[in-house]
mmCIF file of all heavy atoms in Angstrom:
data_model
loop_
_atom_site.group_PDB
_atom_site.id
_atom_site.type_symbol
_atom_site.label_atom_id
_atom_site.label_comp_id
_atom_site.label_asym_id
_atom_site.label_seq_id
_atom_site.Cartn_x
_atom_site.Cartn_y
_atom_site.Cartn_z
ATOM 1 N N ARG M 31 60.863 -35.100 -51.241
ATOM 2 C CA ARG M 31 61.251 -35.090 -49.794
ATOM 3 C C ARG M 31 60.631 -33.837 -49.150
ATOM 4 O O ARG M 31 60.372 -32.828 -49.734
ATOM 5 C CB ARG M 31 62.739 -35.077 -49.624
ATOM 6 C CG ARG M 31 63.411 -33.805 -50.057
ATOM 7 C CD ARG M 31 64.880 -33.886 -49.696
ATOM 8 N NE ARG M 31 65.622 -34.829 -50.532
ATOM 9 C CZ ARG M 31 66.817 -34.641 -51.088
ATOM 10 N NH1 ARG M 31 67.391 -33.491 -50.847
ATOM 11 N NH2 ARG M 31 67.400 -35.568 -51.748
ATOM 12 N N LEU M 60 52.335 -8.903 -15.186
ATOM 13 C CA LEU M 60 51.425 -8.025 -14.515
ATOM 14 C C LEU M 60 51.312 -6.670 -15.376
ATOM 15 O O LEU M 60 52.379 -6.160 -15.827
ATOM 16 C CB LEU M 60 51.825 -7.537 -13.062
ATOM 17 C CG LEU M 60 51.874 -8.719 -12.059
ATOM 18 C CD1 LEU M 60 52.336 -8.166 -10.750
ATOM 19 C CD2 LEU M 60 50.413 -9.298 -11.916
ATOM 20 N N LYS M 116 59.387 -17.862 -53.736
ATOM 21 C CA LYS M 116 59.981 -17.368 -54.997
ATOM 22 C C LYS M 116 61.186 -18.302 -55.265
ATOM 23 O O LYS M 116 62.137 -18.296 -54.543
ATOM 24 C CB LYS M 116 60.449 -15.910 -54.920
ATOM 25 C CG LYS M 116 61.016 -15.417 -56.096
ATOM 26 C CD LYS M 116 61.282 -13.847 -56.026
ATOM 27 C CE LYS M 116 61.859 -13.322 -57.383
ATOM 28 N NZ LYS M 116 62.107 -11.911 -57.289
ATOM 29 N N ASN M 145 63.880 -30.963 -40.772
ATOM 30 C CA ASN M 145 64.205 -32.381 -40.768
ATOM 31 C C ASN M 145 65.666 -32.460 -40.725
ATOM 32 O O ASN M 145 66.350 -31.906 -41.456
ATOM 33 C CB ASN M 145 63.670 -33.091 -41.967
ATOM 34 C CG ASN M 145 62.186 -33.666 -41.781
ATOM 35 O OD1 ASN M 145 61.837 -33.867 -40.728
ATOM 36 N ND2 ASN M 145 61.494 -33.737 -42.930
ATOM 37 N N ASP M 158 76.486 -30.802 -40.967
ATOM 38 C CA ASP M 158 77.126 -29.680 -40.260
ATOM 39 C C ASP M 158 76.147 -28.551 -40.213
ATOM 40 O O ASP M 158 75.514 -28.210 -41.238
ATOM 41 C CB ASP M 158 78.502 -29.393 -40.789
ATOM 42 C CG ASP M 158 79.525 -30.422 -40.514
ATOM 43 O OD1 ASP M 158 79.479 -30.948 -39.400
ATOM 44 O OD2 ASP M 158 80.282 -30.637 -41.460
ATOM 45 N N GLY M 196 76.763 -33.319 -32.575
ATOM 46 C CA GLY M 196 77.501 -33.007 -31.394
ATOM 47 C C GLY M 196 76.621 -32.660 -30.202
ATOM 48 O O GLY M 196 75.458 -32.477 -30.290
ATOM 49 N N THR M 216 73.998 -28.255 -43.728
ATOM 50 C CA THR M 216 74.553 -28.878 -44.914
ATOM 51 C C THR M 216 74.816 -30.338 -44.780
ATOM 52 O O THR M 216 75.292 -30.776 -43.770
ATOM 53 C CB THR M 216 75.835 -28.150 -45.311
ATOM 54 O OG1 THR M 216 75.606 -26.808 -45.420
ATOM 55 C CG2 THR M 216 76.448 -28.658 -46.573
ATOM 56 N N GLU M 222 73.964 -30.623 -50.367
ATOM 57 C CA GLU M 222 72.629 -29.969 -50.323
ATOM 58 C C GLU M 222 72.569 -29.259 -48.926
ATOM 59 O O GLU M 222 73.040 -29.727 -47.963
ATOM 60 C CB GLU M 222 71.564 -30.966 -50.467
ATOM 61 C CG GLU M 222 71.564 -31.642 -51.812
ATOM 62 C CD GLU M 222 70.627 -32.854 -51.959
ATOM 63 O OE1 GLU M 222 69.476 -32.580 -52.169
ATOM 64 O OE2 GLU M 222 71.122 -33.985 -51.688
ATOM 65 N N LEU M 228 68.818 -14.726 -41.030
ATOM 66 C CA LEU M 228 68.461 -14.258 -39.693
ATOM 67 C C LEU M 228 68.067 -12.789 -39.654
ATOM 68 O O LEU M 228 67.326 -12.310 -38.745
ATOM 69 C CB LEU M 228 69.607 -14.379 -38.769
ATOM 70 C CG LEU M 228 70.319 -15.802 -38.607
ATOM 71 C CD1 LEU M 228 71.561 -15.753 -37.728
ATOM 72 C CD2 LEU M 228 69.323 -16.839 -38.264
ATOM 73 N N ALA M 238 68.926 -29.708 -31.408
ATOM 74 C CA ALA M 238 68.773 -30.892 -32.214
ATOM 75 C C ALA M 238 68.121 -31.952 -31.387
ATOM 76 O O ALA M 238 68.447 -32.120 -30.068
ATOM 77 C CB ALA M 238 70.074 -31.400 -32.756
ATOM 78 N N TYR M 253 63.289 -12.322 -31.407
ATOM 79 C CA TYR M 253 63.299 -10.838 -31.096
ATOM 80 C C TYR M 253 63.009 -10.712 -29.616
ATOM 81 O O TYR M 253 61.913 -10.348 -29.242
ATOM 82 C CB TYR M 253 62.410 -10.067 -31.957
ATOM 83 C CG TYR M 253 62.781 -10.148 -33.378
ATOM 84 C CD1 TYR M 253 62.469 -11.229 -34.213
ATOM 85 C CD2 TYR M 253 63.394 -9.121 -34.044
ATOM 86 C CE1 TYR M 253 62.767 -11.265 -35.571
ATOM 87 C CE2 TYR M 253 63.749 -9.051 -35.376
ATOM 88 C CZ TYR M 253 63.381 -10.233 -36.126
ATOM 89 O OH TYR M 253 63.760 -10.333 -37.490
ATOM 90 N N THR M 272 60.474 -5.785 -26.556
ATOM 91 C CA THR M 272 60.149 -4.616 -27.519
ATOM 92 C C THR M 272 59.020 -3.743 -26.822
ATOM 93 O O THR M 272 57.940 -4.300 -26.388
ATOM 94 C CB THR M 272 59.534 -5.058 -28.799
ATOM 95 O OG1 THR M 272 60.655 -5.797 -29.453
ATOM 96 C CG2 THR M 272 59.183 -4.026 -29.707
ATOM 97 N N LEU M 274 56.541 -0.975 -28.046
ATOM 98 C CA LEU M 274 55.937 -0.430 -29.226
ATOM 99 C C LEU M 274 54.907 0.688 -28.881
ATOM 100 O O LEU M 274 53.923 0.420 -28.180
ATOM 101 C CB LEU M 274 55.307 -1.464 -30.109
ATOM 102 C CG LEU M 274 54.961 -1.127 -31.556
ATOM 103 C CD1 LEU M 274 56.122 -0.853 -32.418
ATOM 104 C CD2 LEU M 274 54.119 -2.292 -32.095
ATOM 105 N N MET M 277 50.094 3.242 -32.246
ATOM 106 C CA MET M 277 49.963 3.364 -33.604
ATOM 107 C C MET M 277 51.297 3.102 -34.287
ATOM 108 O O MET M 277 51.479 3.502 -35.506
ATOM 109 C CB MET M 277 49.386 4.725 -33.993
ATOM 110 C CG MET M 277 47.996 4.984 -33.436
ATOM 111 S SD MET M 277 46.857 3.506 -33.838
ATOM 112 C CE MET M 277 46.879 3.560 -35.668
#
Side-chain angles (χ1 to χ4, degrees):
R31 72 174 66 138
L60 296 178
K116 185 176 181 180
N145 271 335
D158 291 316
T216 302
E222 296 168 87
L228 309 180
Y253 297 76
T272 296
L274 191 64
M277 299 309 297

